[in-house]
Amino acid sequence: MVGRSGDRENLKTKEVDFMGRLPFIAGNWKMNKTVEETLALVRELKGSLKEIKEVEVAIAPPFTALHAAAQELKGSSIHLASQNLFWEEKGAFTGEISPVMIKECGCQYAIIGHSERRQHFGETDETVNRRIKAALNHGLKVIFCVGETLQEREQGVNFLVVERQIEGGLKDFGELALQNLVIAYEPVWAIGTGKTATPQQAEEVHLFIRQKIRFLFSPKIADELRIQYGGSVTPDNIKGLMEQENIDGALVGGASLNADSFSRIVRFKEM
Ligand code: PEP
């Protein structure tokens, strides 16, 4: 069961939703912030999110700032994520970063398959699959990104694209792997464009993803899976998105670079 519509009113506060899914807000900093800037933002976030309990929070600074961020985050409930990783542990792979290194830096999560990786760096469903496997095998949790381009949406193939990305990215996975995985639905046309999907547009894809996971794995896994929305999330649109039955959080780009806007997104329940 995906949800009970009779409980819709209770969702307004979304402490823990229908299926006990803890809301999860993650900030993808992309190629922004030096080490010094990272430390400054982490300090601000630690202050503004000190009392946050019923929302899981993670930030993904660039590789170069992960270690420093982890040191600064000690004792805080904010989790740390890498923006990518390579599937091999070590070796002649110039310019790559292994899951072992990511773990050593203090990360709990890795973002895999972001559309900017797919678009600019040749990421495919197959390489996404290999990266997810490597991350999970090394004890990292994964934020697995999927989403269609504007052209694909206009051609009416958005569900097919998301379906293909899920089948490819999660190929040969068992139920156990899914317990440490979050899916982020990020329509490419909404990323960094200021054009957010409406809560209804996002919800219909989230519901589709959950049904797909139910079919591929099990009802239990589908009910427990957290699905984030990503694409121009701001303090002004987060509440409407989080009120949807199948939206369990957000992957935030631009608005995560500022402590005030990111904290207001995380504090969506207080609006
Ligand atoms: C992202 O990078 O994952 C993202 C959703 O970016 P933005 O919030 O800036 O659209």
Side-chain angles (χ1 to χ4, degrees):
M1 187 169 76
V2 169
R4 300 180 291 266
S5 49
D7 285 352
R8 200 171 280 276
E9 274 308 301
N10 300 336
L11 244 196
K12 297 264 159 60
T13 51
K14 198 129 183 192
E15 278 168 16
V16 173
D17 72 11
F18 298 119
M19 294 297 163
R21 297 189 294 261
L22 183 70
F24 182 23
I25 309 285
N28 172 19
W29 294 7
K30 313 194 188 196
M31 198 175 71
N32 293 292
K33 308 286 178 192
T34 61
V35 172
E36 207 177 310
E37 290 164 348
T38 295
L39 290 174
L41 181 48
V42 167
R43 280 180 200 126
E44 279 190 86
L45 290 173
K46 277 200 312 187
S48 58
L49 297 176
K50 203 164 32 200
E51 266 108 52
I52 284 290
K53 281 198 188 70
E54 289 142 357
V55 179
E56 184 177 0
V57 182
I59 53 168
F63 288 132
T64 47
L66 286 175
H67 182 70
Q71 300 306 307
E72 190 61 41
L73 283 172
K74 275 189 182 148
S76 143
S77 62
I78 301 173
H79 289 141
L80 194 62
S82 67
Q83 299 174 18
N84 188 25
L85 51 69
F86 190 55
W87 52 81
E88 296 290 347
E89 279 186 20
K90 61 180 175 181
F93 303 101
T94 304
E96 293 299 324
I97 314 274
S98 82
V100 179
M101 296 164 184
I102 296 298
K103 275 227 66 162
E104 189 192 33
C105 278
C107 288
Q108 293 83 23
Y109 279 93
I111 298 173
I112 312 262
H114 191 280
S115 64
E116 286 153 17
R117 302 291 322 165
R118 295 177 190 259
Q119 199 180 339
H120 305 303
F121 303 98
E123 198 79 72
T124 64
D125 294 332
E126 199 209 320
T127 57
V128 167
N129 178 261
R130 294 182 79 170
R131 288 181 212 275
I132 298 177
K133 260 184 210 151
L136 294 174
N137 283 342
H138 284 86
L140 287 157
K141 295 180 186 174
V142 168
I143 299 175
F144 164 37
C145 304
V146 299
E148 80 285 357
T149 62
L150 181 60
Q151 196 186 22
E152 289 161 343
R153 178 163 277 260
E154 284 172 353
Q155 288 168 349
V157 294
N158 48 323
F159 289 103
L160 282 176
V161 168
V162 168
E163 182 171 43
R164 191 210 68 219
Q165 290 171 337
I166 288 177
E167 284 175 353
L170 301 183
K171 189 163 177 276
D172 302 328
F173 280 25
E175 285 193 19
L176 218 57
L178 269 281
Q179 289 172 359
N180 289 316
L181 189 110
V182 173
I183 293 183
Y185 168 59
E186 299 207 299
V188 180
W189 48 272
I191 297 181
T193 58
K195 272 190 224 159
T196 329
T198 63
Q200 293 69 32
Q201 277 174 323
E203 171 63 13
E204 66 172 1
V205 183
H206 281 232
L207 175 61
F208 173 79
I209 291 172
R210 203 174 299 288
Q211 283 167 342
K212 187 76 204 166
I213 296 297
R214 170 171 297 123
F215 176 76
L216 291 174
F217 296 93
S218 72
K220 182 173 182 293
I221 291 294
D223 287 343
E224 289 172 359
L225 177 76
R226 290 184 294 176
I227 309 176
Q228 295 175 315
Y229 167 78
S232 299
V233 171
T234 66
D236 295 331
N237 58 31
I238 184 67
K239 198 164 163 51
L241 290 161
M242 289 304 292
E243 281 171 0
Q244 302 305 305
E245 193 168 318
N246 289 288
I247 300 183
D248 308 306
L251 182 54
V252 186
S256 71
L257 295 173
N258 172 280
D260 178 59
S261 54
F262 189 61
S263 303
R264 280 163 58 213
I265 291 171
V266 172
R267 293 182 176 279
F268 68 92
K269 289 179 195 169
E270 297 165 21
M271 290 176 188

